[in-house]
Amino acid sequence: MKGVLISGRASELEPLLLPRLPADVCLDVYSDASQVTSSASNGAEFVVGAPDEIVKVLPSLEGVRWVQSTWAGVRPFLDCSRRDYQLTGLKGVFGPSMSEYVLGWSLALHRSILKRAAATSWDARLDSGLHDKQLGIAGAGDIGVFTAVRCAPFFTSVRGLNSDGRACEGFDHCYARLDIDEFATGLDVLVLILPDTPATDGLFDEDVLARLNHGALVINAGRANSLETGALTRLLRSGHIGASVLDVFENEPLSASDSLWDEPNLYVTSHTAAPTPMSAIVDVFLDNLERYRCGAELQGLIDFDRGY
């Protein structure tokens, strides 16, 4: 069986992956799509790697029947017309680091940790903490569920937002996307962990953000398309939103001249919320490779119509 690996981090993945491959599996390794030749990819049955590189050569990989993404997001594949293969995302990997990120920033800002670390005079004012705060997590997939479970002991309640309002572990109540106004009303901390799909474009606009409690914290660690940044900054300047932590942007890296760097009470974390451990990519891929070879159902299958 032949496959192809295309990733800018191929040099990190290759030494972890190749020693664990079954003896009858041949894997051609490339750091970017421009290196992939028609002769090298001829006969490849699967491909693993970065979506933005894979889609560049996917039309020429006619024999491919399975693609394993090394990203949590798969938007490049949704914008590609070819869909005659099984697509699997990187699931069950990012929950622990995302929950640390969300809880860490929530505590840092509600307990004034950043301000007190830089203090040069005595300030005995007490901080409210999180115990009386309502947390809302938009995106109740595996990452959102893990984050909700980890954060629940610190908050008075945890709400979730998903496509249909189905109940999910860790949430006191989940709302359907159509009930987004009810979901947002009265939240003290809003966390976005949404996929990049047409259904999530501009979901959190000024009307929705205005429903948060005065002084609320907004964290976006999913994808940039779901949050209207202009609306966010207007509400930050008015004081209705107390602070915001943004990890993702429409264009990355964020330009050094972008005005967001100078926005008061807005923190940029440079797409570091949930780093991808190379060993986890290898484990997920090898598990699915064995399933694929046995004809079993693959883990993390993506529904092209839903986008996740």
Side-chain angles (χ1 to χ4, degrees):
M1 178 183 291
K2 184 176 180 178
V4 176
L5 166 64
I6 311 173
S7 172
R9 303 182 72 177
S11 61
E12 299 172 66
L13 285 167
E14 188 173 9
L16 297 174
L17 179 55
L18 294 188
R20 297 176 60 186
L21 279 178
D24 62 338
V25 174
C26 173
L27 188 68
D28 292 335
V29 179
Y30 307 97
S31 60
D32 62 71
S34 67
Q35 300 177 350
V36 181
T37 63
S38 57
S39 59
S41 60
N42 185 40
E45 191 171 341
F46 67 86
V47 59
V48 54
D52 61 340
E53 292 296 324
I54 293 175
V55 294
K56 296 175 183 177
V57 294
L58 191 57
S60 66
L61 301 175
E62 297 179 358
V64 164
R65 295 294 172 262
W66 164 46
V67 174
Q68 173 67 61
S69 170
T70 56
W71 295 1
V74 294
R75 182 62 183 260
F77 295 114
L78 307 183
D79 296 334
C80 182
S81 59
R82 183 179 173 186
R83 296 188 173 186
D84 61 342
Y85 59 93
Q86 295 185 92
L87 173 62
T88 50
L90 198 59
K91 305 292 185 181
V93 171
F94 302 103
S97 53
M98 185 64 77
S99 61
E100 291 173 352
Y101 177 86
V102 169
L103 188 56
W105 276 102
S106 297
L107 286 168
L109 294 170
H110 281 93
R111 290 301 308 267
S112 302
I113 292 173
L114 301 179
K115 183 183 296 184
R116 294 186 187 282
T120 57
S121 61
W122 189 264
D123 183 356
R125 286 176 296 180
L126 301 180
D127 301 307
S128 63
L130 301 176
H131 71 281
D132 60 346
K133 301 295 188 296
Q134 296 192 76
L135 168 66
I137 299 177
D142 69 292
I143 301 174
V145 165
F146 197 103
T147 302
V149 171
R150 283 282 182 89
C151 291
F154 294 86
F155 290 85
T156 187
S157 68
V158 183
R159 304 178 197 170
L161 183 77
N162 53 30
S163 59
D164 54 10
R166 66 192 180 280
C168 294
E169 182 186 4
F171 295 97
D172 296 293
H173 185 78
C174 281
Y175 295 83
R177 193 180 298 130
L178 291 175
D179 299 321
I180 189 171
D181 288 349
E182 188 177 356
F183 162 77
T185 300
L187 288 178
D188 300 291
V189 179
L190 170 64
V191 177
L192 309 185
I193 316 178
L194 289 164
D196 184 349
T197 71
T200 62
D201 284 341
L203 201 57
F204 285 86
D205 57 19
E206 191 154 357
D207 288 341
V208 174
L209 294 174
R211 294 177 178 273
L212 306 178
N213 274 344
H214 185 83
L217 166 63
V218 175
I219 299 174
N220 188 8
R223 290 293 180 264
N225 71 304
S226 64
L227 177 65
E228 290 192 1
T229 308
L232 174 73
T233 55
R234 286 191 294 274
L235 290 171
L236 271 169
R237 292 167 188 168
S238 74
H240 183 75
I241 291 177
S244 182
V245 183
L246 301 183
D247 192 54
V248 289
F249 303 88
E250 184 176 351
N251 297 304
E252 296 183 1
L254 189 66
S255 168
S257 61
D258 197 292
S259 61
L260 290 177
W261 293 108
D262 301 317
E263 198 69 44
N265 300 315
L266 191 151
Y267 303 88
V268 174
T269 58
S270 306
H271 210 140
T272 60
T276 309
M278 295 295 100
S279 58
I281 292 177
V282 172
D283 290 342
V284 169
F285 166 67
L286 289 176
D287 177 65
N288 265 340
L289 178 62
E290 182 61 27
R291 290 170 180 271
Y292 179 80
R293 285 157 59 88
C294 296
E297 182 177 354
L298 302 180
Q299 296 279 23
L301 272 172
I302 301 296
D303 182 322
F304 283 103
D305 292 328
R306 299 179 71 180
Y308 54 89

